[in-house]
Amino acid sequence: MKKISIVFAAFAFAAAAFAGTKVLKLDVPPAGLEGTPVPVNLANLDKSKAPNPQPTVPEDVQLISKGKPVTASDDFPLQGDLSQITDGDKGASMGSVCEIMGGLQWVQIDLEKTAEIFAVAIWHFHSQERAYNDVVVQVSDDPEFKKDVKTIFNADHDNSAKLGAGKDMAWIETNEGKLIVVDPAVKGRYVRLYSNGNSTNETNSYIEVEIFGR
Ligand SMILES: [Ca+2]
Ligand SMILES: [Ca+2]
């Protein structure tokens, strides 16, 4: 009898652990590659073009960044508007791209309240195969990112951005986007994304960033 109740307890525990979860899959825009390919040469490039992971997350995790305010180290984009980074449009055409100045720059999304963040997806640019330098993604409750900063992705292998060296890999941009899984989830109101130009030119472009949390 004791044995049976232990088995039942184990089942109940397993059910609780797996109850209310779902698999997170991104909504992906159509591919829009055009023009002549340009070689992508970065020291820490993941050339595998492996598909995004499909993490299991709690059922109430959802897209929490749509339409949220965006600020940047460059307030006056060369092209487009910062609001396009959270407007839901992930198209490849130049009309869907917000391009900010070259060098190490950041864009920052204000979730307007502290959230538990499980994943961040990035589409920098996907009408051409390219990879962005020094992509670092951080979360904080401090809009200045001076305290309580949690780094959830860091592909700056040589610490040229002076945010600490990271072991993540740069990737070749496609319409699939890049899904960064945050496991364990972290809490914060602001998500800041750094980059320092790309394999084609010095500027920093964004089509969309999606933050999944609760
Ligand atoms: Ca967009
Ligand atoms: Ca670097």
Side-chain angles (χ1 to χ4, degrees), residues 20-95:
T21 62
K22 65 180 179 185
V23 175
L24 181 63
K25 291 180 192 172
L26 297 178
D27 279 335
V28 170
L33 277 180
E34 54 187 44
T36 310
V38 174
V40 179
N41 294 312
L42 258 71
N44 61 333
L45 182 66
D46 176 4
K47 294 178 179 155
S48 70
K49 294 188 187 174
N52 277 317
Q54 295 190 345
T56 298
V57 296
E59 199 143 48
D60 55 352
V61 167
Q62 54 188 339
L63 177 63
I64 54 173
S65 53
K66 181 95 180 276
K68 295 298 184 193
V70 183
T71 53
S73 52
D74 174 12
D75 291 330
F76 299 99
L78 304 169
Q79 172 172 318
D81 193 275
L82 294 173
S83 65
Q84 287 179 282
I85 297 171
T86 55
D87 69 354
D89 171 12
K90 304 172 197 168
S93 75
M94 289 312 282

Side-chain angles (χ1 to χ4, degrees), residues 134 156-158 160:
D134 300 340
D156 178 18
H157 71 290
D158 59 0
S160 55

